Amino acid sequence: MPEAWKALNALALKVGAAAEAAGLERETVELMNVRISQINGCAFCLDLHTRMAVEAGATVQRIAQLPAWAGSTLFDAVECAVLHVAEVTTTLPDAAERRAALASARDLLGEEAFAAAEWAAVTMNAFNRVSILSEHPVRPRA
């Protein structure tokens, strides 16, 4: 469905613009995209967003620490809040845990940045599902 694909890409552009307008760093958003893709096991999106994270300034060390971000000292408070939004949005824990995590992130990020992070996580999850179900291949690079 090419029109649906175009609509999803248009949504991603709107969400990216909202994240930037809300003051979320591109690196932070890309780290979130990598973490969501790790959780979902999306090889194509992991390949793409790892490269984009590096282009945005992320180090290999920080990318490698993403599965353990909550116990790592390499992420600041904003990054941790965004990563928490990413994990809650992706794993959908029970309602009490979800509400507490999202309220904490909203308090730290503020309403505009929180909404942008939440929509960015929803959008990345949608892309993961499209790529996984479509079996988008990861092509070797030189």
Side-chain angles (χ1 to χ4, degrees), residues 10 34 43 58-60 69 71 75 77 86 99 111 116 123 131:
V34 172
T59 64
V60 172
W69 67 267
F75 302 97
R99 284 185 195 111
E111 194 61 39
T123 305
S131 290

Side-chain angles (χ1 to χ4, degrees), residues 52-76:
M52 292 176 79
V54 169
E55 289 170 8
T59 64
V60 172
Q61 182 186 27
R62 283 168 38 90
I63 293 168
Q65 288 283 299
L66 280 172
W69 67 267
S72 175
T73 59
L74 299 181
F75 302 97
D76 66 27

